[in-house]
Coordinates of all heavy atoms in Angstrom, one line a residue:
I1063 N -60.6 19.9 -160.3 CA -61.0 20.7 -159.2 C -60.0 20.4 -158.0 O -59.5 19.4 -157.9 CB -62.5 20.4 -158.8 CG1 -62.6 18.9 -158.5 CG2 -63.4 20.8 -159.8 CD1 -64.0 18.6 -157.9
V1064 N -59.8 21.5 -157.2 CA -59.0 21.4 -156.0 C -59.8 21.0 -154.8 O -60.7 21.8 -154.5 CB -58.2 22.7 -155.8 CG1 -57.4 22.6 -154.5 CG2 -57.4 23.0 -157.0
A1065 N -59.6 19.9 -154.2 CA -60.4 19.5 -153.1 C -60.0 20.2 -151.8 O -58.8 20.5 -151.6 CB -60.2 17.9 -152.9
E1066 N -61.0 20.4 -151.0 CA -60.7 21.1 -149.7 C -60.0 20.1 -148.8 O -59.1 20.5 -148.0 CB -62.0 21.6 -149.0 CG -62.7 22.6 -149.8 CD -62.0 24.0 -149.8 OE1 -61.3 24.2 -148.8 OE2 -62.2 24.8 -150.7
E1067 N -60.3 18.8 -148.8 CA -59.8 17.8 -147.9 C -60.0 16.4 -148.5 O -61.0 16.1 -149.1 CB -60.5 17.9 -146.6 CG -60.0 16.9 -145.5 CD -60.7 17.0 -144.2 OE1 -61.9 17.1 -144.2 OE2 -60.0 17.0 -143.1
V1068 N -59.0 15.6 -148.4 CA -59.0 14.2 -148.9 C -58.5 13.3 -147.8 O -57.4 13.5 -147.2 CB -58.2 14.0 -150.2 CG1 -58.3 12.6 -150.7 CG2 -58.6 15.0 -151.2
T1069 N -59.3 12.3 -147.4 CA -58.9 11.3 -146.4 C -59.0 9.9 -147.0 O -59.9 9.6 -147.8 CB -59.8 11.4 -145.2 OG1 -59.8 12.7 -144.7 CG2 -59.4 10.4 -144.1
V1070 N -58.0 9.1 -146.7 CA -58.0 7.7 -147.2 C -58.0 6.7 -146.0 O -57.3 6.9 -145.0 CB -56.8 7.4 -148.1 CG1 -55.5 7.6 -147.5 CG2 -56.9 6.0 -148.7
T1071 N -58.8 5.7 -146.1 CA -58.9 4.6 -145.1 C -58.6 3.3 -145.7 O -59.2 3.0 -146.8 CB -60.2 4.6 -144.4 OG1 -60.5 5.9 -143.8 CG2 -60.3 3.6 -143.3
N1072 N -57.8 2.5 -145.1 CA -57.6 1.1 -145.6 C -57.9 0.1 -144.5 O -57.6 0.3 -143.3 CB -56.2 0.9 -146.1 CG -55.1 1.0 -145.1 OD1 -55.1 2.0 -144.4 ND2 -54.3 0.0 -145.0
R1073 N -58.7 -1.0 -144.9 CA -59.1 -2.0 -144.0 C -58.9 -3.4 -144.6 O -59.3 -3.6 -145.8 CB -60.6 -1.8 -143.7 CG -61.2 -2.8 -142.7 CD -62.6 -2.5 -142.4 NE -63.5 -2.7 -143.6 CZ -64.0 -3.8 -143.9 NH1 -63.8 -5.0 -143.2 NH2 -64.8 -3.9 -145.0
L1074 N -58.3 -4.3 -143.9 CA -58.0 -5.6 -144.3 C -59.3 -6.4 -144.2 O -59.9 -6.6 -143.0 CB -56.9 -6.3 -143.5 CG -56.6 -7.7 -143.9 CD1 -56.1 -7.8 -145.3 CD2 -55.5 -8.3 -142.9
T1075 N -59.9 -6.8 -145.3 CA -61.3 -7.4 -145.2 C -61.2 -8.9 -144.8 O -62.1 -9.5 -144.4 CB -61.9 -7.4 -146.7 OG1 -61.1 -8.1 -147.6 CG2 -62.1 -5.9 -147.1
D1076 N -60.0 -9.5 -144.9 CA -59.9 -10.9 -144.6 C -59.8 -11.2 -143.1 O -60.0 -12.4 -142.7 CB -58.6 -11.5 -145.3 CG -58.6 -11.3 -146.8 OD1 -59.7 -11.2 -147.3 OD2 -57.5 -11.2 -147.4
Q1077 N -59.5 -10.2 -142.3 CA -59.4 -10.4 -140.9 C -60.1 -9.2 -140.1 O -60.3 -8.2 -140.7 CB -57.9 -10.5 -140.4 CG -57.2 -11.6 -141.1 CD -55.8 -11.8 -140.5 OE1 -55.5 -11.5 -139.3 NE2 -54.9 -12.3 -141.3
D1078 N -60.4 -9.5 -138.9 CA -61.1 -8.5 -138.1 C -60.1 -7.5 -137.5 O -59.8 -7.6 -136.3 CB -62.0 -9.1 -137.0 CG -62.9 -8.2 -136.3 OD1 -63.1 -7.1 -136.8 OD2 -63.3 -8.5 -135.2
L1079 N -59.6 -6.6 -138.3 CA -58.7 -5.6 -137.8 C -59.2 -4.2 -138.0 O -60.1 -4.0 -138.8 CB -57.3 -5.7 -138.6 CG -56.5 -7.0 -138.5 CD1 -55.3 -6.9 -139.4 CD2 -56.1 -7.3 -137.1
E1080 N -58.8 -3.3 -137.1 CA -59.3 -2.0 -137.2 C -58.8 -1.2 -138.4 O -57.7 -1.4 -138.8 CB -58.9 -1.2 -135.9 CG -59.6 -1.5 -134.6 CD -61.1 -1.2 -134.7 OE1 -61.4 -0.2 -135.2 OE2 -61.9 -2.1 -134.2
P1081 N -59.7 -0.5 -139.1 CA -59.3 0.3 -140.3 C -58.3 1.4 -139.8 O -58.4 1.9 -138.7 CB -60.6 0.8 -140.8 CG -61.5 0.9 -139.7 CD -61.2 -0.3 -138.8
V1082 N -57.5 1.8 -140.7 CA -56.5 2.9 -140.5 C -56.8 4.0 -141.4 O -56.9 3.8 -142.7 CB -55.0 2.3 -140.7 CG1 -54.0 3.5 -140.5 CG2 -54.7 1.2 -139.8
S1083 N -57.0 5.2 -140.9 CA -57.3 6.4 -141.7 C -56.1 7.4 -141.6 O -55.4 7.4 -140.6 CB -58.6 7.0 -141.2 OG -59.7 6.2 -141.3
G1084 N -56.1 8.2 -142.6 CA -55.0 9.2 -142.7 C -55.4 10.2 -143.7 O -56.0 9.9 -144.7
P1085 N -54.9 11.5 -143.5 CA -55.2 12.5 -144.5 C -54.3 12.4 -145.7 O -53.2 11.8 -145.6 CB -54.9 13.8 -143.7 CG -53.9 13.4 -142.7 CD -54.2 12.0 -142.4
M1086 N -54.7 12.9 -146.8 CA -53.8 13.0 -148.0 C -53.5 14.5 -148.2 O -54.4 15.4 -148.0 CB -54.5 12.5 -149.2 CG -54.7 11.0 -149.2 SD -55.6 10.3 -150.7 CE -54.4 10.7 -152.0
L1087 N -52.3 14.8 -148.5 CA -51.8 16.2 -148.6 C -52.2 16.8 -149.9 O -51.7 16.3 -151.0 CB -50.3 16.3 -148.3 CG -49.7 17.7 -148.4 CD1 -50.2 18.6 -147.3 CD2 -48.2 17.6 -148.4
P1088 N -53.1 17.8 -150.0 CA -53.4 18.4 -151.3 C -52.2 19.2 -151.9 O -51.5 19.9 -151.1 CB -54.6 19.3 -151.0 CG -55.1 18.8 -149.7 CD -54.0 18.3 -149.0
L1089 N -52.0 19.0 -153.1 CA -50.8 19.8 -153.8 C -51.4 21.0 -154.5 O -51.3 21.0 -155.8 CB -50.1 18.8 -154.7 CG -49.5 17.6 -154.0 CD1 -48.7 16.7 -155.0 CD2 -48.5 18.0 -152.9
A1090 N -52.0 21.9 -153.8 CA -52.5 23.1 -154.4 C -51.4 23.9 -155.1 O -50.3 23.9 -154.7 CB -53.2 24.0 -153.4
P1091 N -51.7 24.6 -156.2 CA -53.0 24.8 -156.8 C -53.5 23.7 -157.8 O -54.4 24.0 -158.5 CB -52.8 26.1 -157.5 CG -51.4 26.1 -158.0 CD -50.7 25.4 -157.0
R1092 N -52.8 22.6 -157.7 CA -53.2 21.5 -158.7 C -54.4 20.7 -158.0 O -54.8 20.9 -156.9 CB -52.0 20.6 -159.0 CG -50.9 21.4 -159.6 CD -50.0 20.5 -160.4 NE -49.8 19.2 -159.8 CZ -48.6 18.9 -159.1 NH1 -47.7 19.8 -159.0 NH2 -48.5 17.7 -158.6
N1093 N -54.9 19.7 -158.9 CA -56.0 19.0 -158.4 C -55.7 17.6 -157.8 O -56.5 16.7 -157.8 CB -57.0 18.8 -159.6 CG -56.4 17.9 -160.7 OD1 -55.2 18.1 -161.0 ND2 -57.2 16.9 -161.2
D1094 N -54.4 17.4 -157.3 CA -54.0 16.1 -156.8 C -53.6 16.2 -155.4 O -53.4 17.3 -154.8 CB -52.9 15.5 -157.7 CG -51.7 16.4 -157.8 OD1 -51.8 17.7 -157.6 OD2 -50.6 15.9 -158.0
A1095 N -53.5 15.1 -154.8 CA -53.1 14.9 -153.4 C -52.4 13.6 -153.2 O -52.6 12.6 -153.9 CB -54.4 14.9 -152.5
V1096 N -51.5 13.6 -152.2 CA -50.7 12.4 -152.0 C -50.8 12.0 -150.5 O -51.1 12.8 -149.6 CB -49.2 12.6 -152.3 CG1 -49.0 12.8 -153.8 CG2 -48.6 13.7 -151.5
G1097 N -50.6 10.7 -150.3 CA -50.6 10.2 -148.9 C -49.8 8.9 -148.9 O -49.2 8.5 -149.9
S1098 N -49.8 8.2 -147.7 CA -49.1 6.9 -147.6 C -50.1 5.9 -147.0 O -51.0 6.2 -146.3 CB -47.9 7.1 -146.7 OG -48.3 7.5 -145.4
L1099 N -49.8 4.6 -147.4 CA -50.6 3.5 -146.9 C -49.7 2.5 -146.3 O -48.6 2.2 -146.8 CB -51.4 2.9 -148.0 CG -52.5 3.8 -148.7 CD1 -53.1 3.1 -149.9 CD2 -53.6 4.1 -147.6
T1100 N -50.2 1.8 -145.2 CA -49.5 0.7 -144.6 C -50.3 -0.6 -144.8 O -51.5 -0.6 -144.4 CB -49.2 1.0 -143.1 OG1 -48.4 2.2 -143.0 CG2 -48.5 -0.2 -142.5
F1101 N -49.6 -1.6 -145.3 CA -50.3 -2.9 -145.5 C -49.5 -3.9 -144.6 O -48.5 -4.5 -145.0 CB -50.2 -3.4 -146.9 CG -51.0 -2.4 -147.9 CD1 -50.3 -1.9 -149.0 CD2 -52.3 -2.1 -147.7 CE1 -51.0 -1.0 -149.8 CE2 -52.9 -1.2 -148.5 CZ -52.3 -0.7 -149.6
P1102 N -49.9 -4.2 -143.4 CA -49.2 -5.1 -142.5 C -49.2 -6.5 -142.8 O -48.3 -7.3 -142.5 CB -49.9 -4.8 -141.1 CG -51.2 -4.4 -141.4 CD -51.1 -3.6 -142.7

């Protein structure tokens, strides 16, 4: 299925840091999406 919107959030559980959210780009008409993540 082709999603209308996909968002990914990453949060470091070992320390009290703010989570970082970002959209993932849907690759229509396919059912996949891509994004990037930062691990500081």
Side-chain angles (χ1 to χ4, degrees):
I1063 56 176
V1064 179
E1066 298 286 336
E1067 182 181 45
V1068 183
T1069 303
V1070 60
T1071 301
N1072 64 306
R1073 179 178 66 87
L1074 181 61
T1075 61
D1076 303 333
Q1077 299 188 30
D1078 188 17
L1079 297 179
E1080 287 295 318
V1082 179
S1083 298
M1086 294 178 64
L1087 179 65
L1089 300 180
R1092 302 206 315 261
N1093 66 315
D1094 58 334
V1096 295
S1098 64
L1099 294 173
T1100 299
F1101 300 124

